Amino acid sequence: MRHLMSPLDFSPQELNELFDLATDMEQNPEKYQDSCKRKILATCFYEPSTRTRLSFEAAMLKLGGNVIGFSDAASSSASKGESVSDTIQIISSYADICAMRHPKEGAPMVASSISSIPVINAGDGGHQHPTQTLTDLLTIRSLKGRLDNFTIGLCGDLKFGRTVHSLIHALMRYPNIQFVFISPDELKIPDYLVDLLREKNIPYKEVIKLDDVLPSLDLLYMTRVQKERFFNEEDYVRLKDFYILNKEKMKLAKEDMLILHPLPRVNEISVEVDEDPRAAYFKQVQYGVYVRMALIYTLLNKTSKEVL
Ligand code: CP
């Protein structure tokens, strides 16, 4: 039985197969409409979500399966003190697969160590968000036609941003990727990731001003400054509007640069940018459904090769 805790749990070859399957699911949805019939997905969300939870649920419904779950720790028995380990043992009796989001780093990992069904990390604190990374990679592969040879700028909250941490881990495995980290000093990329890049001789630079590097980017991954990760309201207020990508700034960018964002956005991308053909963040949301369909299908012990 396999779980998904980190994007590195799948080899690049396995990811390619997963993305091929996701693309086939996009193009031939009727082929898969009953492929998870009588299977149940549990979505156990101890933290708020719109995209991740609903795209998992939509994915399972499109595969002909059913969904149970909770969207808030307060409405589960966690509010009475039940541990994650006990909860997953209960869920294992009700469902065939579980997607779990938790504010504590490592909570889905703890669940997977005792679970008798596959567990998918749907975001754990400031640590990892592997299914967002699968979404990001499928979007890049579909819109750019490759997952190598580009310069990617990651902008905003690089300290607490789990989507950023997962994406960096995943992209390190592809050739000729250059990273540009754009953040205020207070939200810089964690040292352990910088150490890893140095160890692997992967080129990166850290800058504060977006304008200085925008013309050099093939991809720009914008992120929100996350209010929920700050201990101090004053720091959040000072940093929340540090970056605002608008139409004027987009004049500096390459004509084929893609703008990605895991969403939700607050102010970091002006709505006027939405009509720019380079804005890919709403397309990303759609790819998130296909890749989660492929993931559920694969983890329920069906390999992509059996289908394609
Ligand atoms: N991208 C993402 O994780 O969005 P939600 O928090 O709405 O799930």
Side-chain angles (χ1 to χ4, degrees):
M1 183 177 58
R2 290 187 79 169
H3 307 282
L4 181 73
M5 294 296 121
S6 150
L8 302 185
D9 291 349
F10 284 172
S11 69
Q13 172 62 27
E14 286 174 319
L15 285 183
N16 249 337
E17 288 174 10
L18 190 79
F19 298 149
D20 287 345
L21 178 60
T23 303
D24 198 48
M25 287 176 159
E26 175 188 2
Q27 289 165 358
N28 303 294
E30 66 296 334
K31 192 166 142 190
Y32 300 94
Q33 63 192 7
D34 294 321
S35 60
C36 288
K37 209 171 172 180
R38 289 187 289 278
K39 298 285 184 192
I40 297 176
L41 165 74
T43 51
C44 299
F45 276 59
Y46 295 83
E47 248 194 356
S49 168
T50 295
R51 273 147 297 276
T52 312
R53 185 172 66 83
L54 296 182
S55 63
F56 262 117
E57 296 188 359
M60 190 51 157
L61 295 173
K62 281 171 179 281
L63 295 170
N66 294 295
V67 177
I68 58 172
F70 54 85
S71 58
D72 175 7
S75 67
S76 79
S77 286
S79 62
K80 302 175 208 159
E82 186 164 63
S83 67
V84 164
S85 297
D86 281 0
T87 301
I88 193 65
Q89 291 185 80
I90 308 309
I91 297 293
S92 299
S93 305
Y94 303 153
D96 301 287
I97 186 166
C98 173
M100 178 181 287
R101 170 170 289 188
H102 203 286
K104 286 206 177 118
E105 284 86 355
M109 177 71 94
V110 169
S112 71
S113 69
I114 198 165
S115 176
S116 57
I117 60 172
V119 176
I120 300 167
N121 177 3
D124 61 330
H127 184 219
Q128 297 255 10
H129 192 345
T131 64
Q132 181 63 49
T133 299
L134 300 184
T135 302
D136 301 337
L137 295 180
L138 178 62
T139 306
I140 297 168
R141 195 184 89 145
S142 302
L143 300 181
K144 281 276 183 204
R146 65 183 195 279
L147 284 170
D148 52 18
N149 292 295
F150 53 73
T151 299
I152 179 167
L154 297 114
C155 177
D157 178 1
L158 309 187
K159 180 178 178 183
F160 299 113
R162 59 193 175 198
T163 61
V164 166
H165 303 160
S166 283
L167 185 57
I168 294 167
H169 275 293
L171 286 176
M172 273 187 210
R173 299 192 295 184
Y174 295 93
N176 200 20
I177 303 291
Q178 309 210 29
F179 292 97
V180 182
F181 301 128
I182 309 146
S183 72
D185 275 337
E186 296 88 337
L187 296 176
K188 277 171 74 169
I189 193 96
D191 287 344
Y192 80 91
L193 280 169
V194 170
D195 292 344
L196 210 54
L197 289 164
R198 284 201 185 127
E199 209 176 278
K200 292 176 182 293
N201 271 325
I202 296 172
Y204 73 92
K205 64 177 166 185
E206 294 181 276
V207 299
I208 295 177
K209 280 188 76 183
L210 174 59
D211 299 24
D212 292 347
V213 291
L214 201 43
S216 68
L217 304 179
D218 302 306
L219 297 165
L220 173 61
Y221 196 87
M222 292 296 290
T223 62
R224 167 179 71 99
V225 174
Q226 303 173 90
K227 190 175 182 185
E228 64 274 27
R229 308 275 177 237
F230 279 81
F231 293 112
N232 171 338
E233 172 88 12
E234 204 179 292
D235 286 347
Y236 169 70
V237 170
R238 185 166 48 80
L239 295 170
K240 72 183 171 70
D241 292 329
F242 203 90
Y243 299 107
I244 298 180
L245 184 67
N246 56 24
K247 248 181 171 167
E248 195 52 35
K249 274 202 203 312
M250 281 304 292
K251 289 182 185 160
L252 297 170
K254 288 183 185 171
E255 280 189 6
D256 62 349
M257 186 195 79
L258 290 182
I259 312 163
L260 301 170
H261 192 312
L263 303 178
R265 78 167 146 197
V266 186
N267 291 327
E268 60 280 0
I269 303 180
S270 301
V271 289
E272 65 186 17
V273 177
D274 295 357
E275 67 193 27
D276 190 309
R278 294 168 288 186
Y281 32 92
F282 290 120
K283 289 182 194 153
Q284 224 172 320
V285 172
Q286 189 62 60
Y287 287 118
V289 177
Y290 303 131
V291 89
R292 289 183 176 100
M293 286 170 75
L295 179 65
I296 292 168
Y297 185 95
T298 301
L299 290 183
L300 285 173
N301 290 319
K302 293 172 181 171
T303 67
S304 52
K305 282 200 189 87
E306 282 166 20
V307 178
L308 290 172

